[in-house]
Protein backbone atom coordinates (compact mmCIF):
# COMPACT_ATOMS: atom_id res chain seq x y z
CA UNK A 1 0.00 0.00 0.00
CA UNK A 2 2.62 2.50 -1.06
CA UNK A 3 2.69 5.40 -3.44
CA UNK A 4 3.06 4.82 -7.14
CA UNK A 5 5.02 6.91 -9.57
CA UNK A 6 4.31 10.63 -9.38
CA UNK A 7 1.83 10.17 -6.51
CA UNK A 8 4.67 9.88 -4.00
CA UNK A 9 5.21 13.06 -1.99
CA UNK A 10 8.62 14.63 -2.33
CA UNK A 11 10.91 15.08 0.63
CA UNK A 12 10.30 18.82 0.36
CA UNK A 13 6.53 18.30 0.56
CA UNK A 14 6.93 16.05 3.58
CA UNK A 15 9.18 18.61 5.29
CA UNK A 16 6.68 21.41 4.56
CA UNK A 17 3.88 19.27 5.96
CA UNK A 18 5.92 18.50 9.05
CA UNK A 19 6.69 22.22 9.60
CA UNK A 20 3.02 23.08 9.16
CA UNK A 21 2.04 20.42 11.71
CA UNK A 22 4.66 21.67 14.16
CA UNK A 23 3.38 25.24 13.80
CA UNK A 24 -0.21 24.08 14.26
CA UNK A 25 0.84 22.18 17.38
CA UNK A 26 2.61 25.26 18.71
CA UNK A 27 -0.46 27.43 18.11
CA UNK A 28 -2.68 24.84 19.79
CA UNK A 29 -0.44 24.77 22.87
CA UNK A 30 -0.52 28.58 23.06
CA UNK A 31 -4.30 28.49 22.77
CA UNK A 32 -4.51 25.86 25.52
CA UNK A 33 -2.33 27.98 27.80
CA UNK A 34 -4.49 31.04 27.14
CA UNK A 35 -7.67 29.11 27.95
CA UNK A 36 -6.10 27.81 31.17
CA UNK A 37 -5.07 31.33 32.22
CA UNK A 38 -8.57 32.64 31.52
CA UNK A 39 -10.17 29.76 33.42
CA UNK A 40 -7.88 30.35 36.40
CA UNK A 41 -8.68 34.07 36.40
CA UNK A 42 -12.41 33.32 36.26
CA UNK A 43 -12.09 30.82 39.10
CA UNK A 44 -10.23 33.39 41.21
CA UNK A 45 -12.87 36.01 40.43
CA UNK A 46 -15.65 33.65 41.47
CA UNK A 47 -13.83 32.68 44.66
CA UNK A 48 -13.27 36.33 45.55
CA UNK A 49 -16.98 36.99 45.02
CA UNK A 50 -17.94 34.02 47.17
CA UNK A 51 -15.58 35.12 49.95
CA UNK A 52 -16.92 38.68 49.83
CA UNK A 53 -20.49 37.39 49.96
CA UNK A 54 -19.71 35.10 52.91
CA UNK A 55 -18.02 37.95 54.76
CA UNK A 56 -21.01 40.22 54.18
CA UNK A 57 -23.38 37.53 55.47
CA UNK A 58 -21.17 36.97 58.51
CA UNK A 59 -21.17 40.69 59.25
CA UNK A 60 -24.97 40.80 59.07
CA UNK A 61 -25.19 37.83 61.44
CA UNK A 62 -22.68 39.46 63.78
CA UNK A 63 -24.72 42.67 63.82
CA UNK A 64 -27.89 40.68 64.58
CA UNK A 65 -26.17 39.06 67.55
CA UNK A 66 -24.93 42.41 68.83
CA UNK A 67 -28.45 43.87 68.61
CA UNK A 68 -29.88 40.87 70.49
CA UNK A 69 -27.37 41.22 73.33
Amino acid sequence: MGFEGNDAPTLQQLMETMRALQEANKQYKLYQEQIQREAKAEQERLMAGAVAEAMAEAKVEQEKLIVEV
Side-chain angles (χ1 to χ4, degrees), residues 8-67:
T10 65
L11 180 57
Q12 181 180 352
Q13 289 171 323
L14 291 173
M15 294 296 287
E16 288 171 1
T17 300
M18 186 175 79
R19 278 191 289 275
L21 288 171
Q22 288 172 335
E23 180 61 26
N25 189 43
K26 178 182 169 185
Q27 293 299 319
Y28 177 74
K29 285 181 181 180
L30 291 172
Y31 175 72
Q32 259 186 329
E33 290 170 3
Q34 176 186 353
I35 293 298
Q36 287 174 348
R37 282 191 305 273
E38 290 173 3
K40 184 177 180 183
E42 179 67 7
Q43 182 181 24
E44 289 172 358
R45 186 187 69 76
L46 291 172
M47 286 297 292
V51 168
E53 185 177 335
M55 288 177 65
E57 289 175 13
K59 184 173 182 174
V60 168
E61 289 301 316
Q62 181 183 28
E63 290 171 0
K64 285 181 186 177
L65 289 174
I66 291 171
V67 169

